[in-house]
Amino acid sequence: MRESRTAPVVQKLEDKAPAEGKKVVLTSLQSLPRGMECIDPLKLGIIDNKTLRLITERSGSPSKSEKVDNTLREKLIYFSDNFDPKLFLSRIHQHTSAADLEAGALGLKSDLKGRNLQKKQLVKDNFDCFVSCKTTIDDIEAKLKRIESDPEGSGTTHLFNCMKSVTSRATRAFEPLFERQAQAEKIRSVQGMLQRFRTLFNLPSIIRNSISKGEYDLAVREYKKAKSIALPSHVNILKRVLEEVEKIMLEFKGTLYKSMEDPKIDFTSLENTVRLLLELEPESDPVWHYLNVENHRIHGLLEKCTYDHEARVEILRNETHERAISDAKWQQIQQNVVPYSDAASSNENNEVQVDLQSVEFPSEEIDALKGRYIKRLTAVLVHHIPLFWKTAISVFSGKFAKSSQVTDNSANKAEEKVTEARYSTHSLEEVAAMIRKTISVYEAKVHSTFCDFDESCILRPFMSDAINEVSKACQSFETKDSAPHSAVVALRKVQAEITKIYIQRLCSWMRASTEGISKEETWIPVSILERNRSPYAISYLPLAFRSVIVSGMEQINLMILSVKGEAARSEDMFAQIEEILISVRMAFLNCFLDFAAHLEQIAADLSQSTSTREDWKNGYSDDQQEVPSANTYGSVVDPHRRLLMVLSNIGYCKDELASELYNKFKYTWLQSRDNDEDSSDLQDLIMSFSGLGEKVLEHYTFAKANLIRTAATNYLLDSGIQWGSAPQVKGIRDAAVELLHTLVAVHAEVFAGAKPLLDKILGVLIEGLVDTFLSLVEENRTNDLSSIDANGFCQLMFELEYFETVLNLYFTSDATASLKTLQGTVLEIAIESISEAVETTPGHNRRPTRGSEDTVSDDRQGSSVSADDLLALTKQFSSELLQTEMERTRLNTACFAESVPVEPTPPLLKTGYRVSMDSPSRNYRGSQSSGSPVHARPRRR
């Protein structure tokens, strides 16, 4: 008997205890499914039928994911004809030790030996049966050979030929019946197939009806049912039905995809649409398709805002152009002054041509449109980006399209697998990248529009409102799950950039406006209330400058406060804010310096104009006196008063405006600077205005010094007195009062225009007056003053003492020293003149009678007179006449003696003119008693 190869069955474990050192691996066999595993022929474990791996107690169950092809399986199954022992050992026993392999081989040999012994024993025990079976088989074979060899007998060949003849005759007889039977079988098979697939044939109409009724879930369920039917491959009609179903479902997919493009679709409908598409196994990810559609729609809305803005601007330009044409036509009609009918006909024939470039478009209206444009762009982001990002978060967090799904557990599990497979190719970072690109488009549009704002409308709320809109968008994005962090950072960057542009333009506007208002000086003094009771009689220029600085800095301060909070959370923003603060500080200081430079230029122009004109009389031009209407009503015309007004403007800026504005706005940029730098900036501003004030003061005093020199010349040389034959001193001459009137006019002018500078200006002018006297004396000592007599000397010295007493409050140390020098020079000239007069008349020795009027005069002029005699004589006149003259000219000189009481009581007068008793002439006379006046004269400054 041939031994057939069969798959080995699981053998029962022997109850014997295993030998020491052998592995026990078959104890867990009973827990494994039948037919799934087989015992290792080496008895070392169990071979898994799927993975063809050895299962032992140490290795455990192998992974079920590993697959084995049929070729490899044929070589590894040890009862197969293609069994490969080497491959079997290398795969099944790749982790088996050599000792276990030797033990298994020994067991396999013993088993084979036992099987051979069993076969021999079987043959030995049943040898008689084997011999009997062999004899019977041989007899049967001999009989079959004899039957086949007889052609007339009942052999199989004869029988086959007979049956073949009968079959051919029956076929010819029943051939029509067989054909009808075949047709009937075909009809029955078709009928059975139609009966079996009647649901499939009705499926296209069922799906169409379900879709038309909105029962999308039913349509998808029917489609899945059709897909699950196993169709025979040779039936083409069923394929055509399925193709029709696929065509319907393809249209349905397109409808679902189209519905996701609806901007008004709600979240629940979107979830249902995505769920249906996922069940239909689309070619592309429906959620990613929706995200792309939304992203393109947001871009389209931004572009639509741009298109609408350009259309509105174009409409505004056309309206402005048409209005300009209409105005030009009206002007042409007014200029021609023709009848209306003639004008109408002429206008029809000759159309008015207006150059489009010459038309001035309304910048404020255009800026308003730009502000609305930025607001609409920002509204697109605020309205769409948060919803877009929340949808993306729900998609990639697994919360999307679950609330409305069918509760079937198996369907849900399959759908979750499909969803995971679809979403694995995309990530949330890709959605964030989409939003960043959208922010980049928004940034480009906002930045270009913001840079196009007209600077003339910078104080209008258009630019600040645009920045506030961007700030609101940033706050909206910073709420939870509204936008990715990168989008928030990008939008904050946009806010910082446009804020920086706005602040820079405000700074440039402040400097440009400072230059503009400096060219529009009206020279109209403001009221004391407008200048807040300031002692400086300023023009409108400092107040206009203050208005410019306050308007610009208040806007800058608001913008900086709006971005300072974000700067604390971002290093980049903090660096940008630091840069902005530095630029604001420099612009603020530069505005003051620019204003100072403009004031200096105004003063230089005034000084040059006054120095180049020769027709100024007391500070007024003949031309301007003749045409007073040429200037603005109430404006200052006198160039000296204009210089004084410039001085007042500078003093007002130095003493009040600089500190006021700096202390008000210094906290805008002082967050990172110390107090030393704070005080140094203010000190630098004050020093700048102080230096400028010194320059302008020099121009003003120089202009007044020319007038005072003319007055001093008239007083000393052109007053009609002959110093060589002067009358006896009887008081102050009118020429001296006229000279004081010049200083009174200056005092009144400075007191009304720049009271804080009164002492300084009068001190400089009085010092110049004394120096002028000294220079005139030196220039004319050989001419008009060469023959001065004792009366002339006393008159001049008495009037000099009178000047010193009246102007004592404004005398400086330099003026006092110059006055001493002047007195010494006059004394020296007088002594020389009297000595020469005595020498030329030596015989004149007549002695007048005592009591005569000319006794004193003749004695003093007819004999040699010493310096002490002249000084004593001058002192006598001063003691007799000075107080009387002070009382007489009290109204003329009241402005110079504000501390002097009006009532002429002696004690008060002594107090009021206390300084006059210590005057330079008194000191000089005291020093003359011990030395020559020539050697005691101090050197001029």
Side-chain angles (χ1 to χ4, degrees):
M1 294 176 61
R2 290 184 296 174
E3 181 181 1
S4 61
R5 293 178 179 265
T6 59
V9 296
V10 179
Q11 299 179 0
K12 293 183 179 180
L13 298 176
E14 298 180 0
D15 295 334
K16 299 179 182 181
E20 184 178 357
K22 290 187 178 181
K23 298 171 67 176
V24 181
V25 295
L26 305 178
T27 57
S28 61
L29 181 63
Q30 295 178 356
S31 63
L32 297 173
R34 176 180 295 180
M36 296 300 292
E37 285 80 22
C38 60
I39 299 176
D40 178 32
L42 299 180
K43 305 288 184 69
L44 297 178
I46 302 172
I47 300 174
D48 184 56
N49 191 34
K50 290 185 177 181
T51 62
L52 295 180
R53 294 289 185 180
L54 184 67
I55 303 175
T56 62
E57 290 183 351
R58 289 183 297 179
S59 64
S61 301
S63 175
K64 299 299 182 180
S65 61
E66 185 178 4
K67 297 181 180 180
V68 181
D69 57 357
N70 294 330
T71 304
L72 182 60
R73 183 180 295 275
E74 288 292 330
K75 294 181 180 180
L76 291 178
I77 297 177
Y78 58 86
F79 49 81
S80 173
D81 294 336
N82 299 324
F83 176 68
D84 189 350
K86 294 181 180 180
L87 183 61
F88 177 82
L89 291 176
S90 63
R91 179 177 177 85
I92 303 298
H93 295 284
Q94 60 180 342
H95 299 296
T96 307
S97 61
D100 293 340
L101 289 175
E102 290 178 357
L106 183 60
L108 187 59
K109 289 180 181 179
S110 61
D111 183 56
L112 181 60
K113 186 176 180 181
R115 287 175 179 270
N116 291 334
L117 292 176
Q118 288 177 3
K119 288 181 181 180
K120 290 180 181 180
Q121 186 65 34
L122 179 62
V123 172
K124 184 177 179 181
D125 293 339
N126 299 282
F127 184 73
D128 295 337
C129 295
F130 282 105
V131 173
S132 176
C133 289
K134 180 66 169 64
T135 305
T136 303
I137 290 171
D138 292 341
D139 291 340
I140 292 173
E141 182 180 6
K143 288 180 180 180
L144 288 175
K145 288 181 178 179
R146 285 197 301 272
I147 291 172
E148 289 295 333
S149 60
D150 187 5
E152 299 293 335
S154 58
T156 56
T157 303
H158 179 69
L159 185 59
F160 174 75
N161 294 330
C162 292
M163 290 300 296
K164 186 176 180 180
S165 176
V166 172
T167 301
S168 61
R169 290 181 183 180
T171 299
R172 286 194 300 271
F174 297 101
E175 184 175 3
L177 181 61
F178 289 155
E179 290 178 358
R180 286 192 292 271
Q181 183 181 4
Q183 291 176 359
E185 289 296 332
K186 288 181 181 181
I187 293 172
R188 278 195 297 270
S189 64
V190 171
Q191 183 181 5
M193 183 187 66
L194 293 176
Q195 184 66 26
R196 188 168 68 251
F197 295 105
R198 66 180 181 275
T199 304
L200 182 61
F201 288 109
N202 295 330
L203 193 60
S205 61
I206 293 174
I207 292 177
R208 279 197 181 95
N209 293 332
S210 299
I211 292 174
S212 62
K213 294 178 182 179
E215 299 174 351
Y216 298 148
D217 291 330
L218 179 60
V220 172
R221 194 180 306 120
E222 293 295 333
Y223 174 69
K224 285 186 174 181
K225 187 187 298 183
K227 294 283 287 187
S228 62
I229 297 176
L231 300 177
S233 59
H234 61 281
V235 183
N236 293 328
I237 188 172
L238 297 180
K239 292 182 180 180
R240 288 195 295 271
V241 172
L242 286 181
E243 289 176 358
E244 181 68 19
V245 171
E246 290 290 346
K247 183 179 179 181
I248 295 172
M249 296 311 294
L250 185 62
E251 294 176 356
F252 180 54
K253 288 179 187 179
T255 304
L256 293 178
Y257 277 116
K258 193 70 175 176
S259 66
M260 288 195 296
E261 298 177 5
D262 184 9
K264 297 181 180 180
I265 187 173
D266 57 356
F267 199 74
T268 304
S269 301
L270 177 64
E271 287 182 336
N272 290 330
T273 302
V274 171
R275 179 181 56 80
L276 291 172
L277 286 172
L278 291 176
E279 291 180 1
L280 294 176
E281 299 180 1
E283 293 79 7
S284 60
D285 183 3
V287 175
W288 193 250
H289 173 79
Y290 170 74
L291 294 176
N292 279 313
V293 168
E294 281 297 301
N295 185 47
H296 290 309
R297 189 161 67 89
I298 294 173
H299 281 261
L301 291 174
L302 294 177
E303 294 300 328
K304 185 178 184 299
C305 292
T306 303
Y307 175 78
D308 293 343
H309 169 68
E310 292 175 352
R312 291 189 180 96
V313 172
E314 187 64 26
I315 291 173
L316 178 60
R317 291 180 182 274
N318 293 335
E319 291 177 352
T320 305
H321 188 222
E322 291 175 0
R323 190 160 51 247
I325 294 175
S326 178
D327 294 342
K329 288 181 179 180
W330 176 246
Q331 291 178 2
Q332 186 178 8
I333 292 174
Q334 289 180 332
Q335 290 174 0
N336 293 337
V337 191
V338 294
Y340 177 77
S341 58
D342 297 338
S345 60
S346 63
N347 287 334
E348 289 178 359
N349 297 330
N350 300 322
E351 291 292 335
V352 178
Q353 299 296 328
V354 177
D355 187 8
L356 188 61
Q357 296 180 354
S358 63
V359 177
E360 184 178 355
F361 295 102
S363 58
E364 186 171 345
E365 296 182 16
I366 292 179
D367 282 357
L369 291 179
K370 293 175 183 176
R372 290 177 56 192
Y373 172 50
I374 294 178
K375 184 176 182 180
R376 292 185 64 195
L377 290 175
T378 309
V380 170
L381 293 187
V382 173
H383 184 72
H384 294 281
I385 293 295
L387 181 61
F388 181 69
W389 180 245
K390 287 177 182 178
T391 303
I393 290 177
S394 65
V395 167
F396 292 99
S397 62
K399 299 178 182 179
F400 185 78
K402 281 190 174 182
S403 60
S404 59
Q405 290 180 5
V406 185
T407 57
D408 187 7
N409 293 333
S410 61
N412 285 338
K413 290 180 180 179
E415 185 174 339
E416 287 177 2
K417 290 182 180 180
V418 172
T419 304
E420 292 176 358
R422 291 297 182 186
Y423 297 158
S424 61
T425 57
H426 302 286
S427 65
L428 200 60
E429 286 298 324
E430 296 181 55
V431 183
M434 284 184 182
I435 297 178
R436 285 197 296 272
K437 290 181 180 179
T438 305
I439 298 296
S440 300
V441 174
Y442 170 80
E443 177 183 3
K445 294 180 179 296
V446 170
H447 189 273
S448 62
T449 306
F450 202 84
C451 291
D452 288 340
F453 275 108
D454 197 337
E455 192 165 326
S456 62
C457 302
I458 195 168
L459 294 183
R460 298 286 293 163
F462 308 130
M463 300 180 77
S464 58
D465 288 349
I467 295 175
N468 291 333
E469 289 296 329
V470 179
S471 178
K472 291 178 183 178
C474 294
Q475 295 174 3
S476 175
F477 278 18
E478 286 174 349
T479 58
K480 184 179 180 182
D481 295 341
S482 293
H485 178 68
S486 58
V488 177
V489 172
L491 202 58
R492 281 293 181 188
K493 183 180 178 183
V494 175
Q495 180 190 5
E497 288 180 353
I498 62 176
T499 303
K500 181 178 179 181
I501 293 172
Y502 184 44
I503 292 175
Q504 288 176 347
R505 296 187 69 175
L506 281 172
C507 293
S508 62
W509 172 82
M510 287 193 299
R511 299 190 68 175
S513 299
T514 300
E515 182 179 359
I517 62 175
S518 300
K519 297 177 180 179
E520 299 174 357
E521 176 62 277
T522 59
W523 302 109
I524 300 176
V526 300
S527 65
I528 190 170
L529 294 179
E530 287 178 303
R531 64 177 189 257
N532 197 18
R533 298 185 179 275
S534 173
Y536 293 101
I538 59 174
S539 66
Y540 279 102
L541 192 58
L543 298 183
F545 173 72
R546 181 184 183 278
S547 177
V548 168
I549 297 298
V550 169
S551 300
M553 289 302 299
E554 284 180 349
Q555 291 291 331
I556 290 173
N557 196 25
L558 291 176
M559 292 300 103
I560 290 178
L561 288 178
S562 66
V563 296
K564 272 186 177 179
E566 180 63 22
R569 292 177 286 176
S570 173
E571 294 183 359
D572 296 337
M573 288 287 292
F574 183 78
Q576 290 185 359
I577 295 301
E578 282 291 323
E579 183 181 350
I580 291 174
L581 295 182
I582 292 174
S583 64
V584 169
R585 169 178 165 264
M586 296 304 298
F588 178 83
L589 299 177
N590 286 331
C591 284
F592 273 93
L593 297 180
D594 292 346
F595 187 61
H598 294 311
L599 291 178
E600 181 179 6
Q601 184 62 39
I602 292 173
D605 294 341
L606 286 173
S607 178
Q608 185 178 3
S609 64
T610 55
S611 63
T612 53
R613 290 195 177 187
E614 298 180 355
D615 56 350
W616 289 102
K617 298 179 181 179
N618 295 327
Y620 289 91
S621 173
D622 294 337
D623 297 337
Q624 292 187 1
Q625 287 178 348
E626 292 175 0
V627 191
S629 61
N631 298 280
T632 306
Y633 177 77
S635 64
V636 175
V637 179
D638 179 15
H640 295 170
R641 291 183 61 191
R642 287 187 174 184
L643 269 177
L644 188 63
M645 186 173 285
V646 174
L647 264 176
S648 299
N649 293 340
I650 295 171
Y652 178 77
C653 292
K654 175 176 70 70
D655 296 338
E656 300 181 20
L657 189 60
S659 57
E660 175 197 351
L661 295 182
Y662 189 86
N663 292 329
K664 181 177 182 179
F665 296 111
K666 65 181 180 180
Y667 299 103
T668 303
W669 61 78
L670 277 183
Q671 61 177 0
S672 61
R673 304 178 70 241
D674 52 20
N675 293 329
D676 294 337
E677 295 184 36
D678 172 25
S679 60
S680 66
D681 287 343
L682 185 56
Q683 290 300 324
D684 290 342
L685 286 180
I686 294 176
M687 291 298 295
S688 299
F689 280 104
S690 298
L692 176 60
E694 293 293 336
K695 292 182 181 179
V696 180
L697 180 63
E698 184 178 349
H699 292 313
Y700 180 76
T701 54
F702 179 79
K704 289 299 181 182
N706 291 332
L707 296 177
I708 292 174
R709 179 177 179 85
T710 303
T713 303
N714 294 333
Y715 159 77
L716 193 61
L717 303 177
D718 300 332
S719 59
I721 187 173
Q722 298 294 328
W723 297 106
S725 57
Q728 187 179 0
V729 179
K730 296 180 181 180
I732 300 300
R733 296 178 299 127
D734 293 341
V737 177
E738 290 295 330
L739 176 60
L740 279 181
H741 283 174
T742 303
L743 292 176
V744 169
V746 174
H747 183 281
E749 185 176 286
V750 177
F751 186 86
K755 186 177 179 180
L757 302 175
L758 179 62
D759 293 345
K760 190 171 185 179
I761 292 175
L762 286 182
V764 173
L765 292 179
I766 290 172
E767 182 180 344
L769 175 62
V770 177
D771 288 342
T772 301
F773 280 150
L774 186 57
S775 64
L776 290 175
V777 168
E778 290 289 348
E779 292 173 1
N780 297 277
R781 67 183 300 168
T782 59
N783 299 324
D784 296 339
L785 300 176
S786 61
S787 60
I788 186 171
D789 59 0
N791 287 336
F793 172 76
C794 291
Q795 182 72 40
L796 184 57
M797 294 296 285
F798 174 67
E799 290 177 354
L800 290 178
E801 186 174 357
Y802 171 77
F803 291 151
E804 179 186 8
T805 304
V806 172
L807 304 174
N808 182 57
L809 294 176
Y810 306 101
F811 256 80
T812 63
S813 59
D814 292 337
T816 303
S818 298
L819 184 60
K820 288 181 180 180
T821 304
L822 174 62
Q823 290 171 341
T825 304
V826 173
L827 180 59
E828 179 182 352
I829 296 172
I831 292 173
E832 293 176 357
S833 176
I834 294 173
S835 299
E836 291 177 358
V838 172
E839 291 176 358
T840 56
T841 57
H844 186 74
N845 295 322
R846 183 178 64 88
R847 294 178 60 86
T849 306
R850 183 180 296 272
S852 174
E853 292 181 356
D854 298 332
T855 301
V856 177
S857 176
D858 291 341
D859 288 343
R860 290 168 183 171
Q861 293 183 7
S863 62
S864 178
V865 180
S866 65
D868 293 336
D869 294 337
L870 291 176
L871 293 176
L873 185 60
T874 303
K875 183 177 181 181
Q876 179 184 353
F877 286 126
S878 177
S879 61
E880 293 175 357
L881 301 175
L882 181 59
Q883 186 172 354
T884 304
E885 292 300 313
M886 292 290 294
E887 287 295 326
R888 185 174 66 85
T889 60
R890 182 179 59 181
L891 295 178
N892 301 81
T893 63
C895 62
F896 300 119
E898 295 177 354
S899 62
V900 179
V902 177
E903 294 297 330
T905 57
L908 292 177
L909 280 175
K910 184 177 179 180
T911 304
Y913 297 107
R914 182 186 306 164
V915 186
S916 65
M917 302 304 296
D918 298 330
S919 64
S921 61
R922 299 287 186 262
N923 295 336
Y924 178 76
R925 287 192 290 272
S927 64
Q928 290 295 318
S929 61
S930 60
S932 172
V934 178
H935 297 288
R937 182 176 63 182
R939 186 177 60 183
R940 288 188 62 201
R941 179 173 56 88

